[in-house]
Amino acid sequence: MSLHIRPEKPQDIPEIHRLHVAAFGGPGEARLVDALRAADALTVSLVAEEGGAVIGHIAFSPLEIIVEDGTTRGLALAPVGILPAHQRRGIGSRLIKAGLDEARRLGWEIVIVLGHHDYYPRFGFVTAKPHGILCPFEVPDEAFMVLELQSGSMARHHGMVKYHAAFSAL
């Protein structure tokens, strides 16, 4: 069967919820996606579909970076989930690449991710702290990463990240 990546549709919502519960072993990330959707804060929301079934999902939502003279905006990549039976097949990588391409097409300049330091650098993510982008909570520096989507844009984004309020429920 072939894998198809596309924007989410309203009829996908229950499947997206179920797959995040299964992928993460609990409802936290599923509730996050539901809350972001309810707040109209899913800037990019893509599904991976195979044989008519939704087997993967990725979400990007806006965030603020508090800088000395105001704020700038970027995107948070969170979450990306794949049904357990379909993991380790490259589906997450395909969703990430497609999501980053869409974010770039929409004109976003940077994407922030909190994730595994051995996984996300393959997509171009680098540790954020050396670039002056700070995480609002305590995490290992190497897990908090940034990707520049538009050349030279990283210089305009430095300060403390402020995630969408929906993230406070995690």
Side-chain angles (χ1 to χ4, degrees):
M1 283 187 258
S2 68
L3 184 74
H4 178 63
I5 296 177
R6 60 169 174 78
E8 78 167 41
K9 297 176 185 173
Q11 61 266 32
D12 299 326
I13 293 171
E15 287 184 82
I16 291 169
H17 185 92
R18 282 191 295 274
L19 86 81
H20 282 299
V21 171
F24 291 97
E29 283 76 6
R31 289 182 183 151
L32 170 63
V33 173
D34 292 343
L36 289 167
R37 188 182 296 107
D40 198 27
L42 286 177
T43 305
V44 176
S45 182
L46 303 175
V47 297
E49 182 181 57
E50 188 174 72
V54 173
I55 61 170
H57 176 257
I58 190 167
F60 292 79
S61 59
L63 54 73
E64 293 181 333
I65 301 171
I66 311 304
V67 297
E68 290 179 16
D69 56 350
T71 62
T72 63
R73 290 172 43 93
L75 287 178
L77 186 172
V80 58
I82 311 299
L83 285 174
H86 297 276
Q87 292 176 0
R88 305 221 179 272
R89 292 181 34 211
I91 297 166
S93 292
R94 288 187 56 190
L95 278 168
I96 291 168
K97 289 174 186 173
L100 293 172
D101 286 347
E102 180 64 7
R104 192 176 288 110
R105 188 191 70 76
L106 292 171
W108 289 92
E109 294 185 345
I110 64 165
V111 175
I112 302 287
V113 69
L114 177 59
H116 201 280
H117 62 87
D118 288 337
Y119 183 72
Y120 288 95
R122 72 180 74 173
F123 305 102
F125 284 91
V126 297
T127 304
K129 189 173 183 178
H131 296 280
I133 300 173
L134 307 174
C135 189
F137 35 84
E138 197 165 319
V139 297
D141 288 346
E142 65 272 6
F144 189 67
M145 293 170 269
V146 61
L147 173 66
E148 181 179 67
L149 295 176
Q150 309 293 332
S151 182
S153 63
M154 194 106 63
R156 292 187 293 278
H157 302 278
H158 45 77
M160 182 64 68
V161 167
K162 181 180 176 188
Y163 285 93
H164 188 279
F167 281 84
S168 64
L170 277 181

